[in-house]
């Protein structure tokens, strides 16, 4: 038997680092949105008593370093079940090391798939408790949609969904190590704190113009990303309502009301970005393909 899952990427409409905790983690305030770019994760039973991973991209680890592997281990441990053998096949479309939670989405998909595969009947909350053991973004990727994430990313609260719009993702040919990004915050701090209350009010009013005007990511204050200024200029020139960096970068996204404007921006961005994707908001983090 096998279960196939669409694992959706995310963007951060707002990301603020509130403080560094005593355990080395950071308390965050993030408004997160699932978008229609997804990896396809297929989990199949076998009799190998092992977790094996295959992927369409050569630079993705297929051993215990992959978050999908860790997610499977965490699931079996949580449900107190011996692994009789599974194969995890990942078809990646979400750019790697991009601030779009591609790895976390794959881990979330494995947990969701195993819950279906073994008929364990765990609730989303129970799945999230497993997910947070392997990555702070995994709980969001399990639930998805439009959510406020606090704590280390594991405390999730509903906010009203984003109105229909078109989103262009542009990732320069440059990777950002998330651990390094947080060390930069620990060294330099932040010079400005985003207007969190204003953003929450805009989200609850579903005012797309106000949401886009309030988008902010504190990582932009101390993470240098090649071509970010050029990317933002092109996005704004093509009538975007707003633009921002996602996660610890380097992907920059723009939100547009008109598809034609988004398409024009995507075409112009080709000279500055390696990966360019046009998508819309989605209401789930993981979707089982029936």
């Amino acid at each position: 038997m096998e279960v196939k899952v669409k694992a959706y990427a995310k963007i951060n409409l707002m990301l603020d680092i509130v403080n560094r905790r005593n355990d080395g983690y950071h308390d965050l305030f993030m408004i997160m949105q699932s978008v229609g770019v997804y990896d396809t994760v297929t989990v199949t039973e076998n009799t190998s008593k092992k977790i094996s991973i295959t992927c369409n991209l050569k630079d993705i680890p297929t051993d215990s370093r992959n978050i999908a592997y860790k997610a499977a281990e965490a699931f079996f441990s949580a449900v107190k079940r011996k692994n009789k053998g599974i194969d995890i096949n990942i078809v990646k479309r979400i750019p790697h090391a991009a601030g779009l939670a591609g790895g976390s989405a794959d881990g979330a998909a494995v947990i969701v798939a195993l819950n279906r595969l073994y008929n364990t009947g765990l609730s989303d909350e129970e799945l999230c408790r497993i997910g947070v053991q392997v990555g702070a973004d995994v709980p969001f990727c399990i639930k998805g949609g439009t959510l406020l994430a606090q704590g280390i990313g594991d405390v999730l609260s509903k906010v009203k969904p984003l109105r229909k719009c078109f989103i262009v993702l542009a990732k320069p040919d440059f990777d950002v190590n998330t651990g390094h990004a947080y060390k930069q915050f620990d060294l330099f701090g932040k010079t400005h704190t985003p207007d969190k209350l204003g953003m929450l009010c805009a989200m609850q009013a579903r005012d797309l113009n106000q949401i886009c005007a309030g988008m902010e990511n504190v990582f932009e204050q101390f993470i240098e990303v090649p071509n970010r200024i050029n990317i933002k200029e092109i996005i704004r020139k093509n009538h975007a309502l707003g633009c921002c960096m996602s996660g610890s970068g380097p992907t920059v996204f723009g939100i547009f009301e008109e598809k034609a404007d988004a398409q024009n921006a995507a075409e112009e961005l080709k000279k500055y970005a390696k990966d360019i994707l046009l998508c819309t908001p989605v209401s789930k983090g993981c979707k089982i393909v029936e």
Side-chain angles (χ1 to χ4, degrees):
M1 185 179 170
E2 71 173 33
V3 176
K4 186 178 289 187
V5 179
K6 290 181 178 179
Y8 290 100
K10 63 83 186 167
I11 56 172
N12 297 88
L13 301 175
M14 178 167 279
L15 193 161
D16 188 21
I17 304 172
V18 179
N19 61 265
R20 187 176 189 272
R21 296 158 36 137
N22 292 332
D23 60 7
Y25 287 94
H26 296 78
D27 281 317
L28 305 170
F29 178 102
M30 302 184 291
I31 295 177
M32 302 170 83
Q33 174 66 53
S34 301
V35 296
V37 178
Y38 61 88
D39 293 346
T40 302
V41 179
T42 306
V43 181
T44 309
E45 288 180 290
N46 59 45
T47 56
S48 67
K49 298 183 180 178
K50 295 178 181 178
I51 299 165
S52 62
I53 298 176
T54 53
C55 183
N56 63 319
L57 298 184
K58 291 180 181 178
D59 58 343
I60 302 296
T62 54
D63 54 19
S64 60
R65 291 171 294 166
N66 194 305
I67 196 169
Y69 188 105
K70 295 172 185 174
E73 283 190 319
F75 177 86
F76 287 123
S77 174
V79 299
K80 298 179 171 56
R81 187 171 190 141
K82 283 188 178 180
N83 172 28
K84 293 180 180 178
I86 58 166
D87 178 67
I88 301 167
N89 175 256
I90 302 170
V91 177
K92 287 208 71 66
R93 299 179 190 88
I94 304 170
H96 177 57
L100 300 172
S104 295
D106 297 342
V110 168
I111 292 169
V112 168
L114 289 172
N115 189 45
R116 169 66 70 89
L117 197 62
Y118 294 111
N119 295 311
T120 38
L122 300 180
S123 67
D124 280 354
E125 284 68 28
E126 290 170 312
L127 296 179
C128 287
R129 283 198 287 272
I130 297 171
V132 76
Q133 298 172 39
V134 293
D137 282 342
V138 176
F140 172 80
C141 290
I142 289 170
K143 285 193 168 186
T146 314
L147 295 172
L148 166 64
Q150 295 173 279
I152 62 169
D154 57 328
V155 181
L156 301 173
S157 307
K158 283 187 177 180
V159 291
K160 290 193 177 169
L162 203 61
R163 269 178 39 209
K164 183 181 177 182
C165 58
F166 299 93
I167 301 166
V168 173
L169 310 175
K171 179 188 182 283
D173 190 9
F174 176 78
D175 292 345
V176 175
N177 179 281
T178 302
H180 171 73
Y182 278 105
K183 282 178 184 173
Q184 295 297 104
F185 170 79
D186 294 338
L187 284 171
F188 302 112
K190 56 186 178 182
T191 56
H192 178 259
T193 296
D195 180 8
K196 296 188 278 288
L197 179 58
M199 182 56 119
L200 282 175
C201 291
M203 293 299 301
Q204 292 308 93
R206 300 189 76 198
D207 187 328
L208 194 57
N209 285 286
Q210 285 298 110
I211 290 166
C212 290
M215 292 193 306
E216 190 170 349
N217 182 341
V218 294
F219 278 119
E220 293 197 57
Q221 297 175 24
F222 43 84
I223 296 295
E224 288 301 321
V225 172
N227 299 324
R228 182 169 59 199
I229 291 170
N230 305 89
I231 289 168
K232 286 192 168 189
E233 279 180 357
I234 289 171
I235 288 171
R236 291 190 183 107
K237 186 183 79 173
N238 283 283
H239 314 297
L241 300 179
C243 56
C244 192
M245 190 171 80
S246 184
S248 56
T251 300
V252 175
F253 66 90
I255 295 181
F256 299 80
E257 272 193 308
E258 301 297 330
K259 187 175 184 179
D261 291 333
Q263 289 171 325
N264 290 338
E267 187 62 33
E268 273 194 68
L269 286 166
K270 287 179 180 176
K271 56 183 150 183
Y272 292 116
K274 177 186 176 186
D275 296 294
I276 301 162
L277 298 157
L278 174 57
C279 54
T280 56
V282 295
S283 60
K284 289 186 175 182
C286 288
K287 183 180 180 182
I288 293 175
V289 180
E290 302 292 355

